[in-house]
Amino acid sequence: MNDWITALGGRYLSDERVTFDTPEPARQAMEHTVITPLVHLGVLDVSGPGADKLLQGQASAQIDLANGSFAPLACFCSAKGRMLANAQLLRIDAERYRLILHRDLLAPLRDHLKKFAPFYKSGLAIRDDLALLGLIGKEAQALAEVRFDVAPPAVWHQSGDEKVQLLAHPGPQHRLLACLTLEQAEAVATRLNEQAAAVGNAVWCLQDIQAGLAWLTPAHRDALLPQMINWEALGGVSFKKGCYTGQEVVARAHFRGQVKKRLARAQLEGSRLPELGASVVDANGKASGEVVAAELDAYGQAEILAVLTTREDIGPLSVDGQAAKLLKLPYPIERLDPEQLAQASA
């Protein structure tokens, strides 16, 4: 059902990776404006009269902040506080919420929430009839406003209506994510392609890395506290809401300062992409963390996000024999309340 991607000239490398013949795609995104099918992400709708209460009891976000304008980050945890998925939360109408997350966690998260849904008269639906399209670059906002007739939102906010939603994500260039029907996708993408080159979604994933933004995959499901991917530093955890599954463990780790691993960004001296979960080792070959995301940058070098020990004496690091140089994250490692983000944009 993704004929709109092949109509643009895209080729599937896997279920979650698409490529195009556009040369130097990462550089194109730096210097111009590009579009990309975000096939690594998917959509889960939660609907019904008790959808808000269902999500309030399971997500790290304060659900009433998702008001159709602010679209907060959230995560869903096990009773031990380990993340089962992380997502961006949109409100579509009074009884319908939308979660955007890694495609391979859609079914596991749906099945997890299904255990509670009957108590809240709520339904869960994986939306295979929707497409996710990314715009990156200097003219992304202007192009989106013209083609969608919607004013682009601020970062972690939404605009549009029940048929098309626009979301703004952080990154080194302007980034917008459009959620629309498959029927709309081919016509919209073709029009956008007149002014923006089509590139593979590796470019979007690279910008996530450069933004210090890690989307959980099956490789790390039920393994990491939210703080281990800096989720509270991105506004993805509310410490002011009531209980949700895993909340006690997450709160204890925060208030007692017990987080011994943190998300870090690094560049490898080489062009070999490590596997997700690959060990980051110190000079003695001892594991100091593991890779959660990896992509090639505009210069052909591997950039990664890795969950690393917070020890100060960590020393030289490497991944699969490639030296790793730590890079700065674009945000401070400190708590950012989603309530603050919502209020600042009100």
Side-chain angles (χ1 to χ4, degrees), residues 15 21 49 63 70 86 99 111 183 262 266 268 275 284 320:
D15 288 343
D21 290 332
I63 302 306
F70 184 50
N86 60 344
L99 293 164
D111 294 345
E183 288 76 10
R262 280 286 186 181
L268 305 185
E275 297 284 338
N284 297 316
D320 293 343

Side-chain angles (χ1 to χ4, degrees), residues 12 24 70 76 98-99 114 122 136 140 169 192 196 211 224 226 248 263 265 280 284 309 333:
Y12 278 86
E24 299 186 303
F70 184 50
F76 298 83
R98 179 158 292 166
L99 293 164
K114 265 186 177 179
S122 297
I136 310 171
H169 284 201
L192 289 168
L224 304 173
E248 184 178 351
L263 191 72
R265 178 180 163 223
V280 181
N284 297 316
T309 176
I333 305 300

Side-chain angles (χ1 to χ4, degrees), residues 282-299:
D282 63 18
N284 297 316
K286 182 179 178 181
S288 296
E290 57 186 76
V291 174
V292 296
E295 298 292 345
L296 295 181
D297 65 17
Y299 307 98

Side-chain angles (χ1 to χ4, degrees), residues 76-135:
F76 298 83
C77 299
S78 69
K80 295 182 179 180
R82 269 52 182 179
M83 289 185 298
L84 303 176
N86 60 344
Q88 186 174 11
L89 173 66
L90 295 69
R91 185 171 183 175
I92 306 301
D93 57 42
E95 295 188 354
R96 182 157 50 117
Y97 293 84
R98 179 158 292 166
L99 293 164
I100 295 178
L101 61 150
H102 194 278
R103 57 169 289 143
D104 290 340
L105 293 181
L106 291 170
L109 181 59
R110 177 200 59 193
D111 294 345
H112 171 71
L113 295 177
K114 265 186 177 179
K115 295 181 290 186
F116 312 100
F119 302 105
Y120 298 96
K121 298 180 180 179
S122 297
L124 300 149
I126 295 174
R127 296 297 304 271
D128 293 327
D129 58 326
L130 298 178
L132 299 174
L133 176 66
L135 292 89

Side-chain angles (χ1 to χ4, degrees), residues 269-333:
E269 292 184 2
S271 59
R272 285 184 288 109
L273 287 179
E275 297 284 338
L276 299 188
S279 292
V280 181
V281 299
D282 63 18
N284 297 316
K286 182 179 178 181
S288 296
E290 57 186 76
V291 174
V292 296
E295 298 292 345
L296 295 181
D297 65 17
Y299 307 98
Q301 289 188 288
E303 289 195 27
I304 66 169
L305 291 177
V307 175
L308 297 179
T309 176
T310 55
R311 294 198 323 266
E312 292 184 1
D313 59 343
I314 193 169
L317 299 171
S318 64
V319 181
D320 293 343
Q322 300 177 103
K325 176 186 177 182
L326 293 179
L327 303 174
K328 285 186 177 181
L329 289 167
Y331 52 80
I333 305 300

Side-chain angles (χ1 to χ4, degrees), residues 209-230:
I209 289 173
Q210 293 171 340
L213 177 60
W215 294 105
L216 206 67
T217 70
H220 291 92
R221 182 179 183 270
D222 202 11
L224 304 173
L225 291 170
Q227 292 97 326
M228 291 179 181
I229 62 165
N230 301 343

Side-chain angles (χ1 to χ4, degrees), residues 105-239:
L105 293 181
L106 291 170
L109 181 59
R110 177 200 59 193
D111 294 345
H112 171 71
L113 295 177
K114 265 186 177 179
K115 295 181 290 186
F116 312 100
F119 302 105
Y120 298 96
K121 298 180 180 179
S122 297
L124 300 149
I126 295 174
R127 296 297 304 271
D128 293 327
D129 58 326
L130 298 178
L132 299 174
L133 176 66
L135 292 89
I136 310 171
K138 298 177 181 178
E139 302 300 325
Q141 293 176 312
L143 192 55
E145 187 165 7
V146 170
R147 295 305 183 191
F148 293 103
D149 194 25
V150 173
V155 170
W156 300 134
H157 286 67
Q158 69 181 88
S159 59
D161 53 29
E162 71 280 358
K163 294 182 179 179
V164 177
Q165 298 89 47
L166 279 183
L167 304 168
H169 284 201
Q173 277 78 41
H174 292 300
R175 290 202 296 165
L176 293 171
L177 182 156
C179 180
L180 64 167
T181 66
L182 286 175
E183 288 76 10
Q184 296 170 295
E186 183 172 345
V188 169
T190 299
R191 291 199 302 270
L192 289 168
N193 193 208
E194 295 171 359
Q195 296 170 277
V199 300
N201 58 319
V203 175
W204 185 274
C205 296
L206 171 64
Q207 298 240 338
D208 277 342
I209 289 173
Q210 293 171 340
L213 177 60
W215 294 105
L216 206 67
T217 70
H220 291 92
R221 182 179 183 270
D222 202 11
L224 304 173
L225 291 170
Q227 292 97 326
M228 291 179 181
I229 62 165
N230 301 343
W231 209 235
E232 92 286 22
L234 290 163
V237 180
S238 172
F239 292 96

